[in-house]
Amino acid sequence: MRVPINQNVFSSVAAWRRRAVSRAVHRGARWVREAAAVTAGRPGPYRFRRIGTGTRLAFPQGTVFGDPWIELGDHCIIAQDVTLTAGMMPDLDLGPDPILTLGNGVVLGRGSHVIADVRLTIGDDCFFGPGVYVTTTNHSYDDPEVPIGKQWPRSDPVTIGSGSWIGTGAVILPGARLGRNVVVAAGAVVRGEVPDHAVVAGAPAKIVRRWDPQEGWQPPLRTPAPVPIPEGVTPEQLRALGAWQAEGAGEAYEAF
């Protein structure tokens, strides 16, 4: 006599096992990301010239070398797979002064590259989208008979002023000098000098909007400024407001 097999039981057991394994894998991955993050208290294999209070390099880190010549300010967020290098290759003696300096509150988006062979300075509270490329060195092609990759490159210091926003996929070339509160549009390629309070876009990047003390933004902004949160509003009040707005939207939908 053949005993019937309850497929539902085996399917339920298999599904439960998959869920348990998935939860365990995700818990393990979270533990690894937390344990392998780099901070001032847990610098891992690196010997940065300085890691400020509250600064964190997420795991996995990108390529990092020349760390004794890299300074990271306080409360910086370095996302996953970000490259930070000082010098053309590891194990060089770059002298007594820092090569790459990040100010306080700098955010580098995932997959960005900051490559400094000569002095590169990023001011306080600069925010970078994902995939930004900043370099002090570019290939040269003076000799038409020698492969470009074998010709000695040119280097020029780079400065990015405090409060600037660098959009996703932007490229900052050697010699660029960005002022304060500069906006670089996504995908822009920036070289040369950009004044304070300017918006640049394109490849090569050009100024598309500037702040004038008498006239304001020129050309004028096309959207109204966002309304700031009033002082003294608590997180609980904001959550209650969000719930009230969601409830109102649901009632409006039902009425429609």
Side-chain angles (χ1 to χ4, degrees), residues 169-171 173 185-191 200-206 208:
V171 178
L173 293 174
V189 179
V190 183
R191 61 180 302 175
V200 297
K206 297 181 179 180
V208 297

Side-chain angles (χ1 to χ4, degrees), residues 57-211:
L57 284 75
F59 178 82
Q61 291 88 37
T63 301
V64 178
F65 64 75
D67 31 307
W69 289 270
I70 298 176
E71 294 183 330
L72 307 176
D74 298 334
H75 304 293
C76 294
I77 300 174
I78 315 298
Q80 295 180 9
D81 302 314
V82 169
T83 292
L84 294 173
T85 66
M88 289 188 178
M89 61 189 70
D91 302 323
L92 296 178
D93 186 348
L94 304 177
D97 300 321
I99 298 295
L100 170 57
T101 299
L102 272 61
N104 299 327
V106 172
V107 176
L108 298 181
R110 182 171 184 166
S112 293
H113 294 68
V114 182
I115 299 171
D117 297 335
V118 294
R119 194 81 172 97
L120 193 159
T121 304
I122 298 174
D124 296 340
D125 299 314
C126 288
F127 287 71
F128 289 56
V132 173
Y133 191 92
V134 185
T135 181
T136 62
T137 301
N138 209 347
H139 294 287
S140 61
Y141 49 87
D142 301 69
D143 192 333
E145 304 300 326
V146 177
I148 292 171
K150 293 184 177 181
Q151 298 190 42
W152 194 255
R154 285 188 173 89
S155 297
D156 206 356
V158 169
T159 301
I160 299 176
S162 297
S164 294
W165 165 258
I166 314 299
T168 299
V171 178
I172 312 297
L173 293 174
R177 297 177 302 280
L178 279 62
R180 293 180 60 253
N181 281 41
V182 166
V183 175
V184 176
V189 179
V190 183
R191 61 180 302 175
E193 188 163 354
V194 180
D196 294 348
H197 309 294
V199 181
V200 297
K206 297 181 179 180
I207 295 175
V208 297
R209 182 171 277 119
R210 288 191 66 177
W211 171 261

Side-chain angles (χ1 to χ4, degrees), residues 197 210-218:
H197 309 294
R210 288 191 66 177
W211 171 261
D212 182 272
Q214 284 73 42
E215 303 293 332
W217 285 106
Q218 297 297 320

